[in-house]
Amino acid sequence: MNVTITPALLHGSVTPPPSKSQAHRLLLAAALAHGTSTLSNVAFSQDIQATVRCLEALGASVRQEEDRLAVTGLAGQTACGKELPELDCGESGSTLRFLIPVALAVRGGGVFTGHGRLMERPQEPYFDIFREKGISYEQQDGTLTVKGQLTPGVYTLPGNVSSQFVTGLLYALPLLPGDSEIHLTTPLESADYVRMTIDALAQFGVAAEYDGDRTFRVPGNQTGHPADMTVEADWSNAAFWYAAAYLDSKLDIQGLNYQSAQGDACIGMLYWTIARPGEAEIDVSGCPDLVPPLAAMAALRGERRVTRLVNAARLRIKESDRLSTVTEVLTALGAEVEEHADHLVITGKDSLPGGVTVSGHNDHRIAMMAAIAATNCAAPVTITGAECVRKSYPSFWDEYARLGGQIAVSE
C-alpha cells in the first residue's frame, strides 16, 4: 500500500493506541499465572497477535472479546520432554526475546521462527548463557531451536545490548524450583522497560527485586494469581503526535498516564529540550524508539539549529537499520542529517521541500516519521509500503485522515 500526503497541518483530539510494551508484559504474566485474567483496552497489532499466537502454542488459552482478552494461564504446568512447540514470532523482537527463556522453563524449549529482519537480530546474550548452562541451541535458515532445562542460579549478561533479555529471564526464573540472580556486566540501558516488567509481574503477585544497579534477585517457586488489568495508552506512539504538535499541528493528545512506568513517557520532557533555542544533545540509549519522532522534530527545528541524538547504536538492529533509514528518508524530504556509527547530527530547517517518494522500509516508525514530517513539506510526499504501521498502530492512517491529513491511498 502506498500513501500520498498533500501537506497540511493536523488538528483535533487524538488518543494514542494501547501500549504495546505494556500489553506484551501483562499478557505474558497472565499466561503464566493461575486462573483466568482479563486484559482490557488491548490493540491487536501484529506484534500483539504474535505474542498471543505463541502463548497459545505454549499451552495458555487466550479468548478475544472486542478489545478484551481473557487469558487462562499455565499455572506452573510444564510439558518438558514432549515435542517442542513451534513459535512464530512474526516481526516482534519482544515476543522472541521474552519467550526464549519462558519456553525453556515451561516446555523444555521451542522452535522459533519470524519474518522480516527478526531472526537476524542478535541473541548472543542468551547463547552465552546457554553454553554456560548446557542448553542446546541451533540457528539456521531463519529458525532458532532451543532445547534444555533452565535451573536456578546466577545468570550473567550485558545490560547494554537490549533490556528484552533481562525481561525474558525475569518471567522465566520465578518458575524455577529455587532462587536465582541476574548479574549485569555493563550498566543497564532502557531501565524503565525493565521496571515496567517488574511492575507487570507485581500486578500478578510475582516478586523480583532490582538493586537499581546491576543485580536482580528473583525468588523461585512463584506462580502468579489472576488479575484484571487495563492497558494504558502508548507513549511510544504518542510521541509521533507530540512531534506533529511541535510542528504546529493543533492537537489535544488525550488518555495518557503521566505517572506511567513506560520509558517513552520522557517524550514530554524531550519535547521541551528540542523546543529550547541553541544546540541540543539527547541521549537516546534509554528511549531508542523515540529517535524517529525526535528526528522529525529536529529536522524542522528552525534554521541551523543543531540536534545530536547520541548513544543510538542499537537502532541498527531494529525493524530496519534506523540510523540509516531515518537519514535516508529525512534527507530525501530535504532535511540535513549526518549519520555516524552511533549517533545522528541533524541541522534544522524551517520547512522541507518534499515532492518525493520514500520507502517505509517495512518499519512502522519510519513510515510514521515520514508522515509527520510531511505536514511541513512544500510538496506532496508518497510513502511506499505504508501498511507497515500495522505492526504497532493499525489505525494510524485512519487517525491521520480524521485529524485533517490529506492522504490518497493506492496499491
Side-chain angles (χ1 to χ4, degrees), residues 4 20 23 29 48 54 68 82-83 92 107 133 183 212 214 223 228 238 249 273 314 321 337 340 350 365 375 380 388:
T4 298
K20 181 165 65 80
I48 294 302
C54 290
R68 297 190 304 277
K82 296 184 179 180
E83 184 176 350
S92 175
R107 293 291 300 271
K133 304 289 186 181
H183 290 175
R214 299 194 186 187
T223 301
D228 295 332
S249 287
T273 300
R314 282 192 292 143
D321 176 345
V337 185
H340 298 267
D350 291 325
R365 301 197 194 279
T375 64
C388 61

Side-chain angles (χ1 to χ4, degrees), residues 79-399:
C80 300
K82 296 184 179 180
E83 184 176 350
L84 295 180
E86 297 184 2
L87 304 167
D88 177 2
C89 299
E91 296 186 37
S92 175
S94 296
T95 305
L96 175 62
R97 287 175 174 162
F98 291 0
L99 289 182
I100 287 173
V102 169
L104 286 164
V106 303
R107 293 291 300 271
V111 180
F112 293 88
T113 58
H115 308 284
R117 299 180 75 218
L118 179 65
M119 302 311 291
E120 300 172 17
R121 295 198 193 183
Q123 309 299 335
E124 200 62 30
Y126 281 152
F127 295 163
D128 289 342
I129 288 172
F130 295 165
R131 287 189 285 268
E132 177 187 347
K133 304 289 186 181
I135 294 170
S136 70
Y137 68 92
E138 181 180 19
Q139 187 169 22
Q140 62 178 8
D141 300 326
T143 298
L144 170 63
T145 301
V146 297
K147 187 174 183 179
Q149 188 61 51
L150 292 181
T151 55
V154 175
Y155 288 75
T156 302
L157 72 165
N160 63 343
V161 179
S162 172
S163 64
Q164 292 171 345
F165 296 106
V166 177
T167 284
L169 289 171
L170 286 173
Y171 279 102
L173 297 181
L175 306 174
L176 304 184
D179 299 347
S180 298
E181 291 188 356
I182 301 171
H183 290 175
L184 303 180
T185 58
T186 58
L188 178 63
E189 294 186 1
S190 298
D192 285 336
Y193 282 96
V194 178
R195 292 188 178 95
M196 195 191 314
T197 297
I198 293 173
D199 181 70
L201 287 165
Q203 300 301 318
F204 291 82
V206 176
E209 299 177 3
Y210 176 39
D211 70 354
D213 186 18
R214 299 194 186 187
T215 301
F216 296 84
R217 293 179 177 85
V218 187
N221 293 301
Q222 296 191 75
T223 301
H225 56 64
D228 295 332
M229 302 294 299
T230 299
V231 179
E232 298 175 356
D234 184 56
W235 278 98
S236 300
N237 282 321
F240 290 98
W241 303 126
Y242 268 80
Y246 179 82
L247 301 179
D248 293 328
S249 287
K250 306 302 181 185
L251 297 179
D252 179 15
I253 306 168
Q254 301 180 339
L256 293 164
N257 175 11
Y258 290 90
Q259 284 74 49
S260 175
Q262 296 177 55
D264 288 346
C266 66
I267 185 60
M269 175 188 66
L270 297 179
Y271 177 102
W272 294 110
T273 300
I274 293 274
R276 286 194 291 267
E279 294 192 4
E281 181 170 295
I282 298 175
D283 184 340
V284 297
S285 59
C287 55
D289 286 344
L290 294 185
V291 165
L294 288 172
M297 296 162 72
L300 286 152
R301 191 172 168 230
E303 201 63 34
R304 309 311 301 170
R305 289 186 178 181
V306 174
T307 307
R308 293 179 174 84
L309 304 178
V310 303
N311 293 326
R314 282 192 292 143
L315 273 81
R316 295 201 181 278
I317 54 173
K318 295 289 188 175
E319 287 81 349
S320 67
D321 176 345
R322 283 190 186 148
L323 290 183
S324 176
T325 54
V326 165
T327 302
E328 177 189 323
V329 169
L330 289 180
T331 299
L333 295 179
E336 187 175 333
V337 185
E338 296 177 17
E339 177 187 351
H340 298 267
D342 63 352
H343 68 282
L344 299 176
V345 179
I346 303 173
T347 302
K349 298 185 176 183
D350 291 325
S351 64
L352 302 177
V356 294
T357 296
V358 296
S359 172
H361 290 282
N362 196 36
D363 188 332
H364 51 136
R365 301 197 194 279
I366 296 301
M368 290 189 282
M369 176 193 74
I372 298 305
T375 64
N376 275 230
C377 286
V381 173
T382 297
I383 304 168
T384 63
E387 70 278 1
C388 61
V389 300
R390 296 171 188 161
K391 186 174 193 295
S392 67
Y393 201 160
S395 65
F396 177 78
W397 295 117
D398 292 336
E399 290 288 81

